[in-house]
Structure formats: structure tokens, C-alpha cells
Amino acid sequence: MLNKLTCFILISAGLLTGCSSLRTGSSPTNTAITYPAATYTPGELNGETLFDLLAAELAGHQRQYDVSLKNYLKQAELTGDRGIIQRATRIAQFSKDQAGLEQAAKIWIQYYPEDLEPYELLSGLFIHQGKYTQALPYIERALVSDSRQILLLISSAAEKLTIPEAQDLNDALDSQIQLTPKRPELWITKGVIERRLSHPDKALYSFDQSLRYAPDAVPAMLQKADLLKELKRYQEALTILSKLAAQQPDNKQIAVLETQVLYKAGKHSAAVRNSQALIQDFPDDQQLHLYLALLALDYNRLEDSRIILEPLADRDDDTSAHFYLGLIAEQQENQALAIDHYLQVEHGTNILQAYTRVAGLLKGEEHRQRIDQILTTAINKHAELGPSLINLYADWLRSADLKDEAIGQLDNGLTLYPDDITLLYARAMSRPEAELPQAEKEFRFILKQQPDNAMALNALGYTLTIYTDRIMEAHELLTRALQLKPDETAIIDSMGWNLYKQNRIDEALVYLEQAYSAYPDPEVGSHLVAVLVKLDQVERARKIFQELSEKYPGNPFLKDMIQSLKDAK
């Protein structure tokens, strides 16, 4: 019908164009014209259908695809005509209208449930949107066909699936495999899903089944080799990859995976040779070069990594290689060269980290002038990182025991960025006990803006615990913080100390042992020592004090531990 309809529309369009040039000598009357209600009979045209589709085609010529699609969808629903439904589907695909495509495909299934294409379209659409549960019934129907595209989409989305979603898809694949067990693409997809379900043995069996029916299928061989790498069966993986590399010497994916496995197998020299060959074969793929450099760096091949990185550092549009060259220089104990590289990082995601490493290398008040010049320049140059860089500078000043200067830096930062939560949080944390009312006001402001800010809840709760007798109010704040971040060591420690202040010693011990196990620093240790003394576990308390005093000589919290131990006598 679609061909007849198209002709009809073109003829009608021509007639309309002709009519627009006619002139009559009489004026039109105002007599109302009554049209009969449209009746839709599948396979037949009526006037309203013709008008809607003609308007749709004209709208399409004007690139008004939303109007065109709306009219076609309306008539597809009303007439159930296969040609109109397909035309609506193609317009939705062409205009990338996902809602329209979903509607068109569902109309298609409503009228022609035996057609496979709409199931494939909806499967692909929902997988693309991450709506895997909605995709499942359409996937089950699409799997009946030789729909390799759907299987590829499932495989590519595997890592994003929840375990229940992956299990449902696995069940659907099993059902289809029972019907058509010799389809290798079903087996490889099942293998990918089994990996997501953490079933390596079942995944390996699935890849072997895929290769049984398609022995030279590269995707299945690559999946099997990658799984063998994960299982630390490196030699078996290398046997597969060596065979593949001989068959397809220009295949980048094969060569990269082989390089990864060689490193993991401890064959570093062979991995470096592979990397050099890849760089020679793909001289313009600078992302690949960077990846290979970082791979070498991961395995402490510093010089091999440096050789790859240095040409990349010459780029004006991407200075990220300098960050990794800085790391190499730092590991080689060349501090001056490391700083020089870090200060050349002006692009990418490592700018803040580069300045952080510079600040770490220039510890001590003797570097005050230089760090001031470096970080002041950075703050002016990288406005988007301003608050983070100001916080970095304040941290450096505190580490140099320049607490007043650190507070001044944060005050200046808040003048520039008055609503920045990170600066406000740092400023509140920096306030001494005498300024508790102002610190509390700042924490309350943060919590008004971000009620679920667990760290602000913890900071206020801990501050109230150590400086006031509002212990129960603090306990409520810490309870909320712990609900939001139950594994956060700082919050666990705060709750333990709050329970100690409530004289709930046994409960406090549980929290403080957990905190100290995760983060054995002097502050947490001082809390644990106090609780152990209360419980008459003095020898254990002394042992913790001894360990921490050797590791952190001069730390102020050691004095608290000494006092707790004196109280035990």
C-alpha cells in the first residue's frame, strides 16, 4: 500500500500547488461545512488519513520532523497499515526521537506481533537507555532471530547490569540455547553474562562452546584469553593470543591484550617489545601511547615509561604526560625535575594533583616564598580550581605550623568564593575552641544547604562532643552521619568517643577498635587508649602508646595517651 500511498501524496501535493494559483471572481461564503466522522478500515485510505500523511510529508520536506512523526504515529495507530507504521519508525530513527521510536515499534508489535524487527528495535533502545528490565521481554523474542546486533549490545552493557538483571538475561539466553545450541554468538554472549555473575568456570565453558561451533571466531578467543588472564592462567592466555597475533598482526586489540598478559606473567622485556611495536604500527594514536606508558609505569619500568612519555610531553594541546614524567622523576629522587614537570601540567584531570604533589615536595617554612608564588599563580590561572587550590595552600600552611596564615588564606578564599562549601567547611574546622559559636554557625549553614553532608554532620557532632556538654545532641548528629556513611573511619571514631563521653564504655570500645584497625593514627589511638584504661586493659593501652610514639614522635595526641595511662595508676 505504501507505494500507492506515496504516489497519491505526490499527486495531491501537485494539485495543491496548482490550486494555490487559481483565482475566482466571487468571494467565499461563510456557510459552515460539516464533515462526516472518519472511519478507519485497515488497508484502506480515507480523507483524513490522506490529509495527515500529506501534511507529514510536507513537514518532512521542511525538516519539521516532529510534526511529520506525530502525524505518521497518529495514522499508524488508527489504520494499522504496515507501510505507515514502518514509515513512522524510519522517521523516528532518522530524527533520533527515542520516545517516537518506542511508540512506533510498540504499534508495530500490536498489529504485526510475528514481525521480528520491532522487538529488535525495542531491545536495542532499552539497552541503550539502561532499562534492562524493560528490554528483557523484547530481547527474549529477538533472540529467536539471528540478531547479532542485540547480542553485541547485551555484551557491551554487561558491566552495567545488576546481578538480578544479568541473571534474567542469562535465563533468556539459556532458553534460546536449548532451542538453537549451535549458535556461537549465543554462547559468547552467555559467557560475558556469566563473567558478570562471577561464574568464571561457566563463562569459560561458554566461550569454549562458542569456539566449538566457530573455531576461528576472534571475539570468543579474545574473551577467553581475557578471562584466562583474570584467572592468572597467563600461559594459556598467551598461547591463544600468540595464535591470534600471527593470524592478525595488525589487530591493535589483540596486541594490547597480549602486552597486558605479558606484564602480568612477569615477562616485562617481551611486553616492552610489544609496546614498541604497537607504537611503531600506530604512530598517531597518542592515547594508545599514553596507555602503554602507564602500563610500563604500573610495573615499575620507569625508563621504558619515560621514553614513551617524553614525545607526548611536546604537545601543546595536552600536557598530561608531564604529570607522569613528574611521578617518574619523583621515584628517581630527582625532586627539581619532578617539580618542573608538575608545573607544566595545564590540561586534563591531573592539574590539582600536580600542585598537590608540588606542595608535598616543598614541605617546611623555608619554602614559604616559593610555594606562595606557585600557588598564588595557580589560583589566578585556574579559576575553576580556585577553592581547591586555596584549600591546598591552607593545608600547606597548617603543616608548616602557620595556623594564623592558614586561616587568613581561607578568609581570603571565602571573600572570592563566599558560597563555596569546601572553603566554609575548612574554615569551620580551623576555628579554635574559643570560636565554637562561629564554627557551629558555619557547620549549620553547610547542613542547611546540604542536609545529607555526612562529613559536616560528623564535624559538628565531634566538635560538640569534645568542646561542650551537649553530648546527646552530638550523638544524634553522629547517628545521622553514620547512617549516611557507615564505613567512614572518621565517623566511626567520633561515635566511639561520643559513647565514651556518655560512659557507655563497652559500646565505645567496639567503635574505636574498628576505627583504629582501619586508621591507626594518634588521634584515634588516644581515644582507644582512654577506653582501654577504663576497662583495665592497661597493658594493651601501653602497647598502642609505644607503637604510636615510635611512629609519630612529638605528636600532640601522645600527651593525651600519657595522661590516660597516668590515670590508670
Side-chain angles (χ1 to χ4, degrees), residues 488-490 493 511-526 528 548 551-552:
E488 182 62 48
T489 302
D493 172 60
Y511 283 95
L512 292 171
E513 283 187 323
Q514 183 182 349
Y516 188 74
S517 174
Y519 191 63
D521 87 322
E523 184 172 9
V524 180
S526 70
L528 181 55
L548 290 172
K551 191 173 182 180
Y552 302 98

Side-chain angles (χ1 to χ4, degrees), residues 85-377:
I85 293 170
Q86 290 176 339
R87 180 72 168 159
T89 303
R90 304 300 174 236
I91 293 169
Q93 288 176 301
F94 178 78
S95 60
K96 296 182 172 60
D97 188 321
Q98 294 185 9
L101 179 59
E102 180 181 345
Q103 186 180 348
K106 286 180 175 178
I107 293 170
W108 194 337
I109 290 171
Q110 177 188 340
Y111 283 101
Y112 304 97
E114 297 306 313
D115 287 5
L116 288 173
E117 185 178 355
Y119 296 95
E120 294 173 349
L121 289 170
L122 287 170
S123 298
L125 177 65
F126 288 136
I127 290 171
H128 176 74
Q129 293 175 340
K131 300 175 180 177
Y132 306 112
T133 302
Q134 287 178 250
L136 185 61
Y138 302 105
I139 289 172
E140 289 174 338
R141 184 68 179 83
L143 288 177
V144 174
S145 70
D146 187 17
S147 183
R148 301 187 182 190
Q149 184 64 31
I150 296 302
L151 293 171
L152 283 172
L153 284 170
I154 293 171
S155 296
S156 65
E159 287 301 315
K160 300 174 185 175
L161 297 171
T162 65
I163 296 302
E165 288 168 343
Q167 189 58 61
D168 286 343
L169 279 171
N170 202 37
D171 292 343
L173 288 164
D174 282 339
S175 297
Q176 191 55 42
I177 284 171
Q178 287 182 353
L179 298 172
T180 54
K182 296 183 179 181
R183 285 174 59 189
E185 68 277 7
L186 286 174
W187 282 109
I188 188 174
T189 308
K190 178 174 170 59
V192 172
I193 298 299
E194 292 286 13
R195 288 187 74 177
R196 176 68 186 94
L197 291 168
S198 300
H199 300 156
D201 292 339
K202 291 181 179 180
L204 202 56
Y205 174 79
S206 297
F207 296 141
D208 283 337
Q209 287 298 100
S210 181
L211 291 167
R212 175 185 175 188
Y213 299 114
D216 296 322
V218 173
M221 294 174 81
L222 281 171
Q223 284 285 350
K224 182 177 179 180
D226 191 57
L227 178 55
L228 289 168
K229 178 193 75 173
E230 185 179 296
L231 296 172
K232 299 182 180 180
R233 293 161 61 175
Y234 303 128
Q235 193 52 54
E236 293 173 70
L238 287 171
T239 300
I240 294 171
L241 293 167
S242 178
K243 178 183 175 181
L244 279 173
Q247 294 173 353
Q248 299 189 26
D250 297 327
N251 188 309
K252 186 194 306 183
Q253 186 181 6
I254 294 169
V256 169
L257 182 55
E258 185 178 32
T259 304
Q260 293 172 350
V261 179
L262 285 167
Y263 271 120
K264 285 187 172 291
K267 300 181 179 183
H268 295 178
S269 296
V272 170
R273 287 194 296 274
N274 258 32
S275 296
Q276 291 167 344
L278 275 163
I279 290 167
Q280 187 173 351
D281 291 341
F282 301 97
D284 298 323
D285 191 341
Q286 302 203 356
Q287 283 300 111
L288 171 65
H289 297 189
L290 180 60
Y291 173 76
L292 294 170
L294 298 186
L295 199 55
L297 189 57
D298 281 344
Y299 289 91
N300 207 36
R301 302 284 297 201
L302 302 185
E303 279 303 300
D304 295 312
S305 181
R306 182 187 62 78
I307 289 168
I308 300 171
L309 286 167
E310 283 188 339
L312 298 177
D314 293 335
R315 294 178 60 182
D316 293 329
D317 61 331
D318 186 355
T319 56
S320 57
H322 281 289
F323 178 76
Y324 303 105
L325 286 166
L327 290 178
I328 292 170
E330 201 174 336
Q331 288 187 55
Q332 293 175 334
E333 299 184 351
N334 190 336
Q335 179 174 308
L337 181 60
I339 291 171
D340 180 61
H341 279 302
Y342 289 140
L343 293 180
Q344 293 185 67
V345 179
E346 295 185 357
H347 307 93
T349 58
N350 291 320
I351 298 173
L352 180 61
Q353 198 174 352
Y355 283 110
T356 301
R357 298 200 76 90
V358 169
L361 290 170
L362 296 176
K363 285 286 186 184
E365 191 175 355
E366 67 273 18
H367 296 296
R368 169 69 190 277
Q369 186 174 352
R370 188 175 182 198
I371 205 74
D372 181 77
Q373 182 266 323
I374 288 171
L375 292 180
T376 301
T377 301

Side-chain angles (χ1 to χ4, degrees), residues 102 148 180 300 380 412 421 464 470:
E102 180 181 345
R148 301 187 182 190
T180 54
N300 207 36
N380 292 330
N412 291 337
I421 296 296
L464 294 177
R470 294 153 62 188

Side-chain angles (χ1 to χ4, degrees), residues 382-449:
H382 302 288
E384 75 284 1
L385 296 174
S388 298
L389 288 165
I390 292 166
N391 263 322
L392 174 62
Y393 194 5
D395 285 342
W396 186 93
L397 290 165
R398 276 193 295 270
S399 71
D401 205 26
L402 300 168
K403 295 180 181 178
D404 290 340
E405 288 88 339
I407 291 170
Q409 187 64 221
L410 291 170
D411 286 337
N412 291 337
L414 284 166
T415 301
L416 294 172
Y417 305 96
D419 297 323
D420 187 83
I421 296 296
T422 62
L423 288 174
L424 197 61
Y425 178 85
R427 183 67 184 88
M429 290 290 289
S430 299
R431 291 192 184 277
E433 182 180 358
E435 296 180 14
L436 174 61
Q438 185 60 28
E440 180 176 356
K441 181 180 177 182
E442 288 163 344
F443 285 132
R444 298 281 184 197
F445 177 82
I446 292 169
L447 290 170
K448 185 176 180 181
Q449 306 301 312

